[in-house]
């Protein structure tokens, strides 16, 4: 089976599961002494904890859920924690900010009396805490990373001597700071303010950090400090400092090492003196500790004085004078990684997981770039596409919250993917995601179970299941400006005008195919017993390297898309469910088929293999620059009643969610609630508004939503005037005046909409009417500010799109004229500027700058340019039949009713006159 090019790479081996029995064992805090429990009491693997102790040696302890579960060596012996003391300094910085002693982490330290060199005048606490200050180094603050103990000494002297103006011991043990932790053996500091503590007391600091500043029922530090600062803060692409000796011009001395010592590692994984599990400058393809949870972090001190913190596992491992080794980011063989692996392995599989082993997280992406598809697969409960109690589609809800480098959040729905390869049985749960920013993203997973939870918009509904709580990070490169189709431009979105625009690309004009509406009734798709389309004439349009499945099954439909793209058709009509409608041959559902070839009334289970094949086709459409126009319902009986008897109920909501989860990642798509809606069918306006609002609530990308009308366009759409849930119209009418009328009405209502003319029914395209359609629809609609989608004569029987090549050619000429010559998104229809004897022409204008005039038949005419006095225009004639400018350009002046003159040839034909300010 051949698919779109993708690469699969491991980004983490340990899933961030809450500990087993998490519901049974609430987290606790130590009093004057830790509570000790045996590993067996908490269901832990004693042998794995023993391995940790044997590996590290020295002295240490393991904390799980607030209990001591493993100790080795003298627990009361106090020692110097070396550089593991540095996060304690940063913790005191947070207290200083909370107490108003310092304005922010960005406060310059020059305010505290230091006679800094000119290059260091901008140095802040943030620079010092992140080893990017360049104090005693040749560079400027923030411009390079160096593990710098002269800078740390400046950091601690500024904070304790000049901000708190008290000893570190008094500052830290204050009853409003760390005093409530009740250090059993006492927390003290040496002359350099390096922490002196026993392992069991240093573990209290780890438990405090793991709980984000909370201790028992008291919040000592605001949680916001941990959300903002306990994560990497050294930019991933920051260079290393220049080679140079120490320049301690303040003569403050070192905290313990040089101004560039210990390690180059830091960019991408260091922040506020902690080390984090992410991809760094020097290991861009691997996380720091490959077998650790992605939320793992550490304190690292010389002499084997370090501590591991695993928030998602509720584990702290503290060990002094131990064999931690030096940081070796990305290496599975490192001692740090091995300790974390053993710590996670000590936790038994959770009660609700069916897998016998700890699941894995994978990320799939073709190029791992902005606007390119990323797919996250999670290993969860085993199920099948026909299972009940629980139903994997309805009774589980996978939602992933992605946070961008710029702070934007997107809550993306996921779906049950069977075995991940199209098979209907398995334990793969999948999320499709298209990132819209380059840089380092983070994510957090919500996976919950409960009756009908999939359609519940309450994020707290149901109960946590399997991999709920997973969090992680991944990096995204900037967009590829040479990528095919829409992937170079990004998502098509509303632009607060009458046109859509690509996020990183141009404004867009639709020129689409409205037929066949049963485009998905394709013989190459599995479980499509009533398929009527093979698109055999287009098999020759399939090319080597194109997607395919089952040794040629995809060639016809993929070839059809290739042909349409070659004619610059940029939209295709797709109906995912026409049960009881016109075609009765397309549905997304799994299960039994009745004698007539229809699914047996089960709208709660989905055909995983078929939907995967659909996704291959839709992704190829995007690669070829073709928008997917999803029409979700028909007006015909009984299709409109198929889902919840024509209401917004369980079936319809699940149908919407499943389509969004599987296909919402597409960069250019449109959700259309129903074809041929009118005021007389039993899908009333308020119900359709509710449907649109539900789709917007589920769709993280806010793709445009509309409803197609049958009957008088303006009358049918009046209930939606000003409704923000519809970004675009979908008119079925031959009345091109509806374009200008609805443009004006929607703008007056404060919600200017894109005007989609989606059928000229019953005036279907055929072999003889391309010229008439050019005159009566294509140019009048485009130069009125609308969009076009052709309904074809073959309708449900369309097999060969070449039959309509004259229509595609005429539409292409018009769109290319608009895109190449006009700022059409700024222009307005002003037909009253044109004075003719009998011809009704079109004028599209940006007054004083550019005018496009369409004459369906030439006759002498004048263009009112009385408001353009003093402006000269270059005038040219465009032939809409061959898509070329003809004749000589002339210079004309505004300020009068301009005689447009005669076209260069074929006076009896239609012409376009273009005037552009010279």
């Amino acid at each position: 089976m051949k698919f779109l090019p993708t690469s699969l790479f491991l980004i983490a081996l340990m899933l961030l599961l809450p500990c087993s029995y998490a519901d049974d064992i609430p987290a606790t805090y130590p009093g004057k002494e830790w509570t000790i429990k045996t590993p067996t009491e908490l269901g832990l693997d004693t042998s794995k904890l023993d391995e940790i102790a044997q590996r590290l040696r020295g002295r240490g302890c393991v904390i799980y859920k607030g209990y001591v579960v493993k100790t080795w060596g003298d627990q009361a012996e106090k020692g110097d924690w070396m550089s593991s003391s540095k996060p304690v300094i940063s913790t005191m910085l947070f207290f200083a900010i909370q107490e108003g002693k310092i304005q922010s982490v960005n406060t310059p330290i020059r305010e505290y009396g230091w006679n800094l060199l000119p290059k260091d005048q901008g140095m802040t606490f943030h620079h010092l805490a992140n080893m990017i200050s360049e104090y005693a180094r040749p560079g400027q603050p923030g411009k390079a990373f160096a593990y710098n103990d002269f800078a740390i000494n400046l950091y601690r002297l500024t904070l304790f001597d000049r901000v708190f103006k008290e000893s570190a011991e008094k500052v830290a043990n204050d009853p409003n700071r760390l005093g409530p932790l009740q250090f059993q053996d006492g927390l003290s500091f040496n002359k350099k303010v390096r922490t002196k503590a026993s392992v069991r007391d240093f573990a209290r600091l780890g438990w405090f950090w793991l709980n984000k500043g909370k201790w028992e029922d008291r919040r000592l530090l605001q949680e916001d400090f941990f959300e903002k600062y306990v994560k990497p803060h050294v930019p991933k692409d920051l260079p290393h400092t220049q080679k140079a000796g120490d320049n301690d011009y303040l003569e403050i001395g070192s905290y313990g090492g040089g101004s560039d010592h210990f390690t180059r590692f830091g960019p991408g994984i260091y922040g506020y003196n902690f080390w984090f599990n992410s991809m760094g400058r020097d290991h861009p393809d691997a996380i720091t500790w490959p077998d650790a949870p992605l939320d793992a972090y550490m304190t690292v001190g010389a002499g084997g004085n370090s501590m591991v913190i695993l928030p998602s596992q509720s584990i702290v491992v503290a060990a002094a004078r131990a064999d931690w080794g030096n940081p070796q980011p990305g290496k599975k063989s490192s001692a740090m990684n091995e300790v974390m692996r053993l710590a996670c392995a000590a936790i038994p599989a959770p009660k609700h997981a069916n897998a016998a082993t700890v699941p894995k997280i994978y990320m799939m992406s073709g190029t791992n770039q902005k606007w390119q598809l990323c797919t996250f697969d999670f290993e969860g409960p085993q199920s099948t596409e026909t299972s009940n109690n629980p139903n994997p589609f309805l009774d589980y809800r996978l939602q992933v919250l992605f946070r961008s480098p710029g702070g934007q959040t997107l809550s993306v729905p996921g779906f049950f993917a069977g075995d991940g390869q199209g098979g209907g049985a398995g334990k793969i749960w999948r999320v499709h995601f298209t990132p819209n920013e380059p840089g380092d993203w983070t994510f957090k997973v919500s996976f919950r179970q409960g009756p009908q939870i999939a359609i519940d918009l309450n994020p707290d509904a149901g109960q946590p299941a399997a991999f709920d709580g997973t969090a992680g990070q991944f990096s995204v490169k900037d967009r590829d400006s040479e990528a095919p189709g829409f992937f170079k431009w990004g998502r098509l979105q509303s632009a607060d005008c009458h046109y859509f625009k690509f996020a990183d690309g141009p404004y867009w004009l639709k020129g689409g195919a409205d037929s066949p509406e049963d485009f998905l009734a394709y013989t190459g798709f599995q479980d499509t017993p009533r398929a009527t389309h093979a698109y055999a004439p287009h098999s020759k349009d399939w090319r080597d390297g194109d997607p395919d499945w089952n040794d040629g099954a995809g060639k016809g439909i993929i070839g059809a898309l290739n042909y349409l793209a070659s004619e610059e058709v940029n939209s295709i009509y797709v109906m995912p469910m026409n049960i009881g409608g016109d075609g009765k041959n397309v549905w997304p559902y799994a299960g039994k088929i009745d004698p007539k070839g229809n699914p047996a009334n089960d709208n709660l289970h989905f055909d995983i293999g078929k939907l995967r094949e659909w996704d291959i086709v839709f992704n190829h459409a995007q690669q070829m620059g073709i928008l997917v126009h999803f029409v979700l319902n028909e007006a015909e009986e009984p299709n409109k009643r198929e889902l919840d008897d024509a209401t917004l109920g369980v079936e319809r909501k699940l149908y919407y969610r499943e389509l969004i989860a599987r296909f919402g990642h597409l960069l250019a798509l449109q959700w259309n609630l129903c074809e041929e809606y009118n005021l007389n069918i039993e899908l009333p306006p308020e119900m359709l508004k509710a449907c649109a609002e539900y789709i917007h609530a589920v769709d993280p990308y806010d793709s445009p939503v509309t409803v197609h009308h049958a009957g008088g366009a303006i009358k049918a759409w009046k209930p939606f005037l000003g409704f923000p849930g519809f970004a675009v119209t979908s008119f079925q009418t031959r009345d091109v005046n509806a374009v200008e009328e609805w443009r004006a009405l929607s703008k007056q209502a404060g919600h200017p909409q894109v005007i989609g003319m989606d059928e000229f029914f019953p005036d279907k395209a055929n072999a003889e009417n391309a010229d008439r359609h050019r005159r009566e629809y294509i140019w009048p609609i485009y130069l009125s500010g609308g969009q076009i989608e052709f309904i074809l004569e073959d309708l449900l029987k369309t097999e060969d799109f070449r039959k309509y090549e004259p229509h595609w050619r005429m539409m292409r000429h018009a769109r290319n004229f608009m895109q190449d010559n006009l700022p059409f998104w700024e222009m307005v229809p002003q037909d009253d500027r044109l004075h003719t004897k009998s011809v009704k022409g079109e004028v599209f204008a940006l007054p004083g700058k550019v005018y496009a005039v369409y004459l369906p038949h030439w006759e002498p005419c004048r263009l009112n340019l009385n408001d353009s006095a003093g402006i000269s225009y270059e005038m040219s004639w465009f032939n809409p039949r061959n898509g070329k400018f003809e004749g000589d350009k002339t210079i004309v002046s505004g300020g009068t009713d301009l005689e447009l003159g005669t076209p260069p040839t074929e006076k009896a034909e239609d012409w376009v006159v273009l005037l552009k300010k010279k």
Side-chain angles (χ1 to χ4, degrees), residues 538-795:
H538 290 296
S539 292
K540 63 183 179 183
D541 297 310
W542 185 91
R543 301 171 306 228
D544 287 342
D546 283 342
D548 187 24
W549 60 94
N550 295 342
D551 297 324
K555 288 186 175 181
I557 197 168
I558 295 297
L561 292 175
N562 288 347
Y563 170 74
L564 290 171
S566 72
E567 294 292 340
E568 298 183 30
V569 176
N570 65 2
S571 174
I572 188 71
Y573 183 110
V574 168
M575 186 172 286
M577 194 280 287
N578 64 12
I579 300 169
D582 286 337
K584 304 179 181 64
N585 51 9
V586 179
W587 52 81
Y589 302 115
K592 296 179 180 179
I593 304 297
D594 69 17
K596 294 183 179 180
N598 293 316
N601 296 318
D602 181 359
N603 299 328
L604 300 178
H605 295 83
F606 293 85
D607 190 322
I608 291 172
K610 182 195 296 186
L611 294 181
R612 188 168 189 257
E613 292 167 356
W614 287 9
D615 193 43
I616 295 170
V617 172
F618 298 154
N619 276 291
H620 186 68
Q622 303 282 284
Q623 190 171 6
M624 302 308 296
I626 298 175
L627 173 142
V628 182
H629 183 180
F630 288 98
V631 181
L632 304 176
N633 211 99
E634 288 190 80
E636 286 84 4
E637 292 277 9
N639 180 265
K640 67 183 177 185
R641 294 191 173 279
E642 178 66 23
L643 301 177
D644 308 302
D645 196 25
T647 66
L648 180 60
V650 173
E651 293 178 340
R652 193 176 301 271
K653 288 180 178 179
L654 185 62
Y655 172 60
Y656 291 164
R657 179 187 169 86
E658 199 70 20
L659 292 180
I660 292 168
R662 293 176 183 274
F663 311 127
H665 64 87
L666 300 175
L667 296 173
L669 67 85
Q670 178 174 298
W671 305 115
N672 195 325
L673 297 178
C674 181
E675 68 145 9
E676 297 179 353
Y677 153 79
N678 62 60
L679 295 175
N680 299 318
I681 71 168
E682 295 164 1
L683 295 172
E686 293 309 313
M687 183 263 195
L688 292 172
K689 288 181 182 179
C691 290
E693 289 167 348
Y694 185 82
I695 287 176
H696 283 299
V698 176
D699 184 356
Y701 305 111
D702 201 29
S703 295
V705 181
T706 187
V707 64
H708 181 252
H709 95 96
I714 304 302
K715 179 181 178 182
W717 258 73
K718 274 290 180 69
F720 308 118
L721 189 62
F723 174 55
F726 288 156
V728 55
T729 70
S730 185
F731 290 162
Q732 175 183 299
T733 181
R734 288 183 292 175
D735 182 9
V736 297
N737 295 320
V739 176
E740 296 185 19
E741 186 174 355
W742 196 262
R743 273 179 62 112
L745 287 171
S746 67
K747 184 175 181 179
Q748 291 168 9
H751 179 52
Q753 288 163 317
V754 179
I755 312 301
M757 297 285 280
D758 288 345
E759 289 186 26
F760 316 133
F761 190 84
D763 199 1
K764 306 181 191 73
N766 60 48
E768 288 77 37
N769 62 10
D771 285 342
R772 183 168 61 82
H773 276 203
R774 182 187 69 248
R775 286 187 168 95
E776 296 181 8
Y777 301 127
I778 296 175
W779 283 93
I781 289 173
Y782 279 148
L783 290 187
S784 293
Q787 315 273 335
I788 294 174
E789 198 169 271
F790 273 110
I791 186 170
L792 308 180
E793 181 181 50
D794 289 342
L795 201 57

Side-chain angles (χ1 to χ4, degrees), residues 285-487:
D285 298 321
I287 55 176
T288 313
W289 307 294
D291 292 335
L294 291 165
D295 64 348
Y297 62 104
M298 281 191 71
T299 72
V300 178
N305 298 283
S306 299
M307 179 164 61
V308 162
I309 301 166
L310 307 176
S312 57
Q313 311 288 356
S314 293
I315 287 179
V316 171
V317 181
R321 295 295 174 186
D323 294 335
W324 286 103
N326 288 328
Q328 295 178 292
K331 290 189 177 182
K332 293 169 67 68
S333 60
S334 73
M336 296 174 181
N337 180 70
E338 180 65 8
V339 168
M340 295 187 195
R341 184 191 68 79
L342 290 168
C344 295
I347 301 174
K351 288 180 177 180
H352 48 254
N354 293 325
T357 59
V358 178
K360 299 178 180 179
I361 306 174
Y362 294 92
M363 188 174 84
M364 273 194 315
S365 175
T367 58
N368 209 31
Q369 285 183 296
K370 180 182 180 183
W371 303 127
Q372 301 285 341
L373 175 63
C374 295
T375 297
F376 292 83
D377 283 355
F378 303 93
E379 193 174 291
Q382 177 78 31
S383 192
T384 72
E385 63 186 17
T386 56
S387 291
N388 287 298
N389 301 318
N391 176 336
F393 306 102
L394 184 61
D395 300 328
Y396 288 99
R397 185 185 65 203
L398 171 57
Q399 202 81 17
V400 178
L401 184 68
F402 291 92
R403 184 180 296 275
S404 77
Q408 175 193 192
T409 58
L410 293 170
S411 183
V412 180
F415 56 94
F416 175 57
D419 66 359
Q421 301 297 319
K427 51 187 176 183
I428 299 301
W429 302 75
R430 177 168 290 171
V431 173
H432 286 323
F433 175 58
T434 44
N436 59 357
E437 290 182 35
D440 292 333
W441 286 73
T442 60
F443 68 88
K444 187 171 184 179
V445 177
S446 171
F447 186 66
R448 302 180 74 85
Q449 180 179 0
Q452 299 184 3
I453 191 175
I455 62 172
D456 195 327
L457 298 179
N458 178 4
D460 297 323
Q463 299 296 323
F467 48 87
D468 180 76
T470 300
Q473 179 181 349
F474 61 102
S475 291
V476 172
K477 293 180 288 186
D478 206 353
R479 72 185 179 98
D480 178 2
S481 61
E482 302 299 321
F486 302 137
F487 297 111

Side-chain angles (χ1 to χ4, degrees), residues 95-129:
F95 276 113
I97 296 171
Q98 180 171 279
E99 295 165 16
K101 299 180 185 296
I102 297 174
Q103 185 176 358
S104 76
V105 297
N106 296 314
T107 298
I109 67 162
R110 67 171 184 270
E111 297 182 5
Y112 297 94
W114 295 110
N115 185 21
L116 300 174
L117 290 176
K119 80 171 187 72
D120 291 334
Q121 290 295 310
M123 188 189 303
T124 66
F125 287 99
H126 175 82
H127 294 133
L128 292 168

Side-chain angles (χ1 to χ4, degrees), residues 182-296:
Q182 302 182 72
F183 297 100
Q184 187 172 348
D185 305 303
L187 180 69
S188 59
F189 300 83
N190 66 11
K191 291 182 179 180
K192 292 290 188 181
V193 189
R194 295 205 298 259
T195 305
K196 293 185 68 176
S198 62
V199 289
R200 63 189 180 190
D201 277 346
F202 201 72
R204 288 178 187 250
L205 285 169
W207 193 241
F208 172 72
W209 290 325
L210 183 147
N211 285 283
K212 298 183 178 180
K214 184 181 178 184
W215 197 259
E216 295 182 313
D217 295 328
R218 185 177 176 184
R219 177 152 293 286
L220 302 177
L221 260 182
Q222 298 169 19
E223 186 174 359
D224 189 50
F225 286 109
F226 293 85
E227 296 292 339
K228 287 183 178 179
Y229 305 123
V230 183
K231 61 184 180 182
H233 271 273
V234 181
K236 184 178 179 181
D237 57 354
L238 199 69
H240 196 73
T241 188
Q242 303 171 39
K243 290 185 178 181
D246 301 330
N247 180 21
D248 180 22
Y249 62 86
L250 295 177
E251 297 182 351
I252 58 174
S254 168
Y255 192 72
S259 65
D260 178 20
H261 77 117
F262 179 52
T263 183
R264 287 177 51 87
F265 298 119
I269 66 172
Y270 192 80
Y272 285 85
N273 307 123
F274 292 105
W275 299 85
F276 296 91
N277 199 19
S278 56
M279 291 172 280
R281 180 195 63 199
D282 300 300
H283 48 102
D285 298 321
I287 55 176
T288 313
W289 307 294
D291 292 335
L294 291 165
D295 64 348

